[in-house]
Amino acid sequence: MSIWATNAMPSKYYKLNIGEGLEALSVKNYNSSFPSHFHPTYNITLIYYGAFNTRLDDNLLVAPSGTILITNPQEIHSNPFDRNESVSFFTFYVSQDFLEYCNQSRSIFFNQKVIYDQELFADLHQFANVIDQAHVLPDYEEGLRQVLSQLAMRHGDEMADLQDTRIKSLFDEFLAEQNLKKFSLEEAASRFGIDKFKFIRLFKLQTGLTPNNYFILQRIEKSKSMLKQGNELLSIAIELGFYDAAHYCNYFKKFTGISPIAYSTNR
């Protein structure tokens, strides 16, 4: 069993070969906002210091220190932060498959986003410490499975389908066939028979994001697999339609909180 860690202080990003590709992020004294985005995983975040802000469905959620903050897969959210205040946290990125396995093969959805459960917080903190100290042992996965099982049982809700309900059938075919590199707002609006301003409003209503942020986020997600394959930054930038490597790196850090190099480098 191995553990990879990427270093970009004050952030550390970990990739583990357990739990269907478990990843984790450890952050200290962070105060930069994240724009609207989503993840393919459950984000299970332990708030150690400060208050972690999340805007979801036009509601501002504030998770204080000592709480667990959860976002579901495909859930559109942003994280506004005050530049004068900082937050320290640890996030587990848990795949849908692994959490369903932890929940006896049942789909799970967390309607409760901010959870105050001292016992679970302490248990998850122990597993976070193990990752931070790079001491992952063979029984780690089973122990984590038991803790996540308790999280799902105590605070989760069953849901038959975890597909993002924001993306309606009208957009399914349209989004599936779009070239991430060559998206044209004018052509897209023309296809739907509306002007570009109405298209932007309709697109945001259906997906939760503006077309610009949606396709940038898709390009960032695609770039992660290219980074794992060892592609150079410039070739990734050119392939995905960024101006240059610096342009790509700026957007990657804006949406993920770390640089592409920090994401791809292993320790």
Side-chain angles (χ1 to χ4, degrees):
M1 184 174 299
S2 66
I3 177 171
W4 297 352
T6 62
N7 291 286
M9 294 301 291
S11 301
K12 294 181 181 178
Y13 203 96
Y14 302 92
K15 291 172 280 187
L16 299 88
N17 61 349
I18 63 170
E20 301 288 341
L22 178 70
E23 299 187 1
L25 175 65
S26 178
V27 178
K28 294 181 180 179
N29 302 320
Y30 194 82
N31 62 357
S32 297
S33 298
F34 292 100
S36 294
H37 63 289
F38 61 85
H39 300 269
T41 59
Y42 293 91
N43 286 16
I44 301 172
T45 301
L46 306 179
I47 314 302
Y48 290 133
Y49 173 82
F52 197 108
N53 300 324
T54 297
R55 187 168 294 280
L56 180 68
D57 293 331
D58 294 325
N59 295 316
L60 180 63
L61 305 176
V62 179
S65 59
T67 62
I68 304 169
L69 174 67
I70 297 182
T71 56
N72 298 288
Q74 313 302 325
E75 203 162 48
I76 305 294
H77 62 284
S78 62
N79 304 107
F81 289 104
D82 187 332
R83 297 289 296 181
N84 297 319
E85 298 179 3
S86 61
V87 60
S88 297
F89 61 92
F90 188 100
T91 297
F92 297 89
Y93 298 93
V94 182
S95 72
Q96 295 186 45
D97 288 342
F98 186 63
L99 197 57
E100 286 186 8
Y101 165 69
C102 297
N103 194 41
Q104 299 180 340
S105 300
R106 296 194 300 267
S107 297
I108 191 74
F109 187 88
F110 292 92
N111 286 304
Q112 183 182 2
K113 312 300 183 186
V114 181
I115 297 171
Y116 183 74
D117 188 319
Q118 290 181 302
E119 181 182 3
L120 277 176
F121 187 97
D123 289 341
L124 286 169
H125 171 60
Q126 289 184 354
F127 285 98
N129 271 342
V130 169
I131 293 176
D132 263 335
Q133 296 169 12
H135 291 157
V136 177
L137 299 175
D139 61 348
Y140 181 93
E141 182 172 348
E142 174 58 22
L144 181 61
R145 184 198 67 78
Q146 293 178 15
V147 174
L148 292 178
S149 176
Q150 287 297 311
L151 177 67
M153 182 177 66
R154 296 184 194 179
H155 303 285
D157 301 284
E158 288 192 32
M159 187 174 180
D161 187 1
L162 284 176
Q163 296 299 317
D164 184 13
T165 57
R166 293 176 178 273
I167 303 179
K168 304 294 189 294
S169 59
L170 178 66
F171 272 71
D172 286 346
E173 181 180 348
F174 169 75
L175 293 176
E177 68 187 31
Q178 287 304 300
N179 186 316
L180 301 182
K181 185 177 178 180
K182 298 179 179 179
F183 171 75
S184 167
L185 177 59
E186 289 74 15
E187 291 179 5
S190 176
R191 171 172 172 172
F192 284 85
I194 55 179
D195 64 47
K196 62 181 182 181
F197 301 106
K198 289 183 179 179
F199 178 82
I200 291 173
R201 290 195 296 271
L202 180 61
F203 192 99
K204 190 170 184 180
L205 177 66
Q206 298 299 322
T207 68
L209 297 172
T210 64
N212 184 55
N213 278 356
Y214 179 89
F215 287 109
I216 288 176
L217 183 58
Q218 293 296 317
R219 289 151 71 190
I220 293 298
E221 288 299 315
K222 184 175 181 180
S223 78
K224 290 180 179 179
S225 62
M226 298 174 72
L227 287 168
K228 292 176 181 178
Q229 294 167 6
N231 289 274
E232 295 182 351
L233 296 182
L234 181 58
S235 65
I236 293 175
I238 294 174
E239 173 68 21
L240 296 180
F242 293 96
Y243 298 135
D244 52 30
H247 185 230
Y248 161 62
C249 290
N250 287 338
Y251 271 110
F252 191 99
K253 188 169 184 179
K254 179 180 179 181
F255 278 91
T256 68
I258 59 173
S259 70
I261 294 176
Y263 178 84
S264 60
T265 303
N266 68 72
R267 181 176 67 184

